Amino acid sequence: LGLAIEGSFITESPEEANHMAQALLRIGDSDTLIPALEKALLRDEANPEGWAMLGRAHLKKEQTNLAISALNQSLSQDPEQAKTLALRGSLLRRLGDLQGALVDYERAHALMPSSPVLSYERGLVLLQLGRIKEAESFLQVAARKLSTHVTLDLLHASCAYAVGKYLESVQSLSEYLNPQLSGDALRSFENNLSETAYYLKLLLARKPDFKVADLAPPPNHAARLFAEY
């Protein structure tokens, strides 16, 4: 690793190049990793893992186009890399290519169907595409499994309400307003509680056959504001 940092280390195989790249990624040294890995890939370009790590290194330096180019090369050699597909999908979404991002997320999710993170990413891009009904089901999975990310519950509650799934909306809103948090995390949540939650509660309270009185929010400014709404 020291020789790599000095620029004098030459890897003799793709496996050796990948071990070096992994070590440099762990310490966050993209400046050393990129030229060293590029040299290794010039000698032996048949290395999908190496290209994927080169993409990650470019991403750490915010070189988005170079990152996508490296990920493209990786996926052209091995198209069934769920994490690489998901990473490229996130970059495409960042660049505004929502349809391209969705294709990558769908392929990644097919390879890792139990991943709640991919459920969230897929649901989010569907939401951005205006396909709310499809987005809702994926966001529900993510909200239930990623229980520490409480804002997901509110996002799902809003989507469920928009597509007329009021029971599911009540359930997610209840999860949001009664998070499994404690200490500083709970205090921070209470101090930054979204006013959207109170507005959604008012909307749900007007629906027949849905009881939302048990959605007792922690006291704060927003609670008083919406009590007077």
Side-chain angles (χ1 to χ4, degrees), residues 90-157:
S90 69
L91 295 179
L92 292 174
R93 180 159 59 87
R94 182 186 301 180
L95 293 175
D97 183 1
L98 299 180
Q99 194 58 52
L102 179 60
V103 170
D104 275 353
Y105 287 139
E106 287 175 340
R107 291 171 60 194
H109 208 187
L111 294 167
M112 294 178 63
S114 63
S115 169
V117 174
L118 287 174
S119 292
Y120 166 69
E121 297 286 1
R122 190 172 177 180
L124 189 60
V125 77
L126 283 167
L127 187 60
Q128 289 178 285
L129 285 166
R131 294 161 61 176
I132 301 176
K133 188 173 182 179
E134 294 171 79
E136 182 273 330
S137 61
F138 291 109
L139 293 174
Q140 183 179 33
V141 171
R144 296 295 178 267
K145 292 186 177 181
L146 299 172
S147 57
T148 57
H149 301 330
V150 292
T151 54
L152 271 177
D153 291 309
L154 181 57
L155 180 61
H156 173 254

Side-chain angles (χ1 to χ4, degrees), residues 170-187:
V170 167
Q171 291 171 340
S172 286
L173 184 57
S174 178
E175 293 288 336
Y176 174 76
L177 291 172
N178 300 279
Q180 301 301 307
L181 301 174
S182 60
D184 290 341
L186 180 59
R187 283 189 289 274

Side-chain angles (χ1 to χ4, degrees), residues 43-122:
R43 289 191 299 275
D44 189 347
E45 67 175 21
N47 183 358
E49 185 181 354
W51 284 107
M53 285 190 284
L54 181 61
R56 292 177 186 279
H58 279 305
L59 181 57
K60 286 183 179 294
K61 292 180 66 66
E62 300 185 357
Q63 298 168 333
T64 304
N65 290 331
L66 289 174
I68 290 177
S69 178
L71 297 177
N72 288 345
Q73 186 69 22
S74 175
L75 289 165
S76 71
Q77 296 179 12
D78 181 3
E80 297 198 349
Q81 301 177 75
K83 291 182 180 179
T84 303
L85 283 164
L87 180 58
R88 188 175 67 176
S90 69
L91 295 179
L92 292 174
R93 180 159 59 87
R94 182 186 301 180
L95 293 175
D97 183 1
L98 299 180
Q99 194 58 52
L102 179 60
V103 170
D104 275 353
Y105 287 139
E106 287 175 340
R107 291 171 60 194
H109 208 187
L111 294 167
M112 294 178 63
S114 63
S115 169
V117 174
L118 287 174
S119 292
Y120 166 69
E121 297 286 1
R122 190 172 177 180

Side-chain angles (χ1 to χ4, degrees), residues 25 31 36 99 125 146 191 195:
L25 273 177
D31 289 330
Q99 194 58 52
V125 77
L146 299 172
N191 290 333
E195 294 183 356

Side-chain angles (χ1 to χ4, degrees), residues 1-15:
L1 186 59
L3 290 174
I5 292 173
E6 293 172 3
S8 58
F9 179 67
I10 298 176
T11 58
E12 296 182 354
S13 68
E15 292 77 15

